[in-house]
């Protein structure tokens, strides 16, 4: 297939949907792995289909080994090769509990999807990218992981989420190191506070913190802010870089006095 292909996990809504739509607008055929029922996100998927028509939606669980294997195989069969992998799907703990009360069940749930699922899907797709590169040395795929400012910021009532995102930071460096010699750059985007369903339940708290000056750029981030950063990383203009983390967070990461 001549059209470039992008895989976006969790592309059904929120940040993932904005990324998928952006890449569709740039001409990519899309493959989305998401646990959402297709019915629930029909409008979002239609929006992507209306751009260039080429969307493969796979209803599955990133945390489930069999779903990852089946998804990767079906993407291979349908599109042949993957130009861009965006690891976006992620979950917060179902209950925000103090670190001393965190359950093993919640730890396994969050780490199993955010870190283990993302690692093994990346491993599978990276192997496919290497095979495609062996056939066509000009092929220039890229891998991008959406982690979080929680990678380096303590929230003691969702420690499992912070640990999963810290793990993705190291995962990025590891894949960047392993794949650099093969010409596959690997990046990480660390969003700050982005307006999506994930932050809806704590929006009043963040409204207050932002108005009180938490962020140097005094506004919420929007999913499109992350989609624009993905677009820049896919542009091929950063050819002598790999392993970077880009903070798309209104300056949250800057220490201030
Ligand atoms: N919203 C923020 O402020 C913020 C900040 C930092 C990082 N992030 C990260 O950005 C990513 C997207 O977040 P969002 O705010 O759009 O969240 P969201 O909850 O709105 O969307 C997440 C998407 O991932 C999918 N998903 C969840 N579990 C899945 C699974 N097991 N298998 C497959 N798909 C699954 C969901 O169905 C959904 O479509 C996440 O990794 C999140 O941790 C978000």
């Amino acid at each position: 297939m001549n059209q470039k292909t992008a895989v976006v996990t969790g592309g059904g809504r929120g940040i993932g949907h904005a990324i998928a739509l952006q890449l569709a607008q740039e001409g990519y055929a899309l493959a989305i792995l998401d646990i959402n029922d297709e019915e629930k996100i029909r409008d979002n998927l239609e929006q992507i289909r209306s751009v260039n028509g080429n969307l493969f939606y796979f209803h599955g669980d990133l945390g489930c080994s069999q779903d990852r294997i089946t998804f990767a195989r079906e993407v291979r069969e349908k599109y042949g090769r993957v130009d861009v992998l965006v690891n976006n799907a992620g979950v917060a703990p179902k209950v925000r509990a103090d670190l001393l009360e965190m359950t093993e069940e919640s730890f396994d749930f969050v780490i199993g999807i955010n870190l283990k699922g993302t690692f093994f899907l990346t491993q599978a797709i990276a192997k496919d990218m290497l095979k495609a590169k062996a056939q066509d040395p000009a092929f220039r795929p890229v891998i991008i992981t959406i982690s979080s400012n929680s990678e380096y910021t303590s929230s003691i009532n969702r420690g499992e989420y912070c640990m999963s995102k810290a793990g993705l930071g190291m995962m990025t460096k590891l894949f960047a190191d392993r794949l650099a010699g093969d010409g596959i750059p690997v990046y990480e985007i660390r969003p700050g506070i982005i307006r999506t369903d994930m932050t809806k339940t704590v929006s009043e708290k963040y409204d207050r913190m932002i108005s009180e000056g938490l962020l140097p750029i005094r506004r919420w981030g929007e999913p499109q802010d992350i989609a624009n950063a993905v677009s820049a990383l896919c542009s091929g203009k950063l050819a002598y870089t790999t392993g970077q983390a880009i903070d798309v967070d209104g300056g949250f990461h800057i220490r201030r006095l």
Side-chain angles (χ1 to χ4, degrees):
M1 200 175 100
N2 288 332
Q3 195 177 12
K4 286 187 170 187
T5 300
V7 167
V8 182
T9 65
R13 73 174 199 199
I15 293 171
H17 172 247
I19 294 168
L21 187 58
Q22 178 69 35
L23 293 176
Q25 282 161 350
E26 292 177 13
Y28 288 84
L30 263 298
I32 290 177
L33 163 66
D34 200 299
I35 206 163
N36 255 315
D37 284 335
E38 219 168 327
E39 268 309 297
K40 275 196 194 158
I41 48 167
R42 182 202 288 268
D43 290 351
N44 286 352
L45 298 182
E46 276 314 308
Q47 219 183 342
I48 295 169
R49 281 199 184 96
S50 69
V51 174
N52 71 32
N54 233 340
L55 167 63
F56 166 51
Y57 185 79
F58 183 92
H59 177 248
D61 181 356
L62 178 64
C64 166
S65 168
Q66 193 51 54
D67 284 0
R68 290 192 300 268
I69 291 168
T70 308
F71 174 66
R73 191 191 61 233
E74 292 193 13
V75 170
R76 207 178 301 131
E77 286 169 3
K78 187 165 171 50
Y79 291 132
R81 69 189 202 186
V82 174
D83 296 80
V84 175
L85 166 63
V86 183
N87 292 312
N88 163 80
V91 288
K94 289 175 187 161
V95 178
R96 287 189 175 214
D98 180 80
L99 197 66
L100 301 182
E101 307 302 330
M102 185 201 302
T103 62
E104 285 197 31
E105 189 192 1
S106 183
F107 181 96
D108 288 343
F109 169 69
V110 174
I111 297 283
I113 294 168
N114 294 7
L115 183 55
K116 183 178 169 190
T118 300
F119 174 79
F120 283 103
L121 182 69
T122 306
Q123 186 192 62
I125 301 274
K127 285 182 185 174
D128 285 347
M129 287 173 168
L130 288 175
K131 281 184 199 142
K133 260 196 99 73
Q135 288 171 1
D136 175 8
F139 177 49
R140 306 217 51 92
V142 52
I143 297 173
I144 300 166
T145 296
I146 311 301
S147 57
S148 174
N149 57 1
S150 294
E151 176 176 330
Y152 60 86
T153 305
S154 164
S155 296
I156 54 173
N157 60 358
R158 49 179 184 138
E160 57 278 67
Y161 182 79
C162 299
M163 288 188 277
S164 73
K165 295 298 185 177
L168 290 179
M170 179 48 82
M171 186 196 88
T172 299
K173 293 182 185 74
L174 289 165
F175 276 117
D177 185 12
R178 175 62 183 82
L179 299 174
D182 300 290
I184 303 176
V186 182
Y187 304 108
E188 178 190 354
I189 294 174
R190 291 196 288 231
I193 300 168
I194 312 296
R195 200 190 306 276
T196 67
D197 286 320
M198 187 180 264
T199 44
K200 210 157 61 181
T201 52
V202 281
S203 66
E204 278 177 26
K205 173 184 155 189
Y206 287 143
D207 277 344
R208 192 182 64 250
M209 291 173 87
I210 293 169
S211 72
E212 287 171 359
L214 175 73
L215 306 177
I217 300 175
R218 287 195 177 201
R219 68 163 174 89
W220 279 74
E222 301 295 339
Q224 189 61 41
D225 290 309
I226 309 300
N228 290 342
V230 168
S231 170
L233 290 173
C234 293
S235 70
K237 292 193 174 167
L238 299 167
Y240 194 48
T241 66
T242 192
Q244 267 87 356
I246 310 220
D247 296 287
V248 185
D249 64 353
F252 174 86
H253 66 280
I254 302 168
R255 287 189 182 205
R256 297 188 290 169
L257 276 175

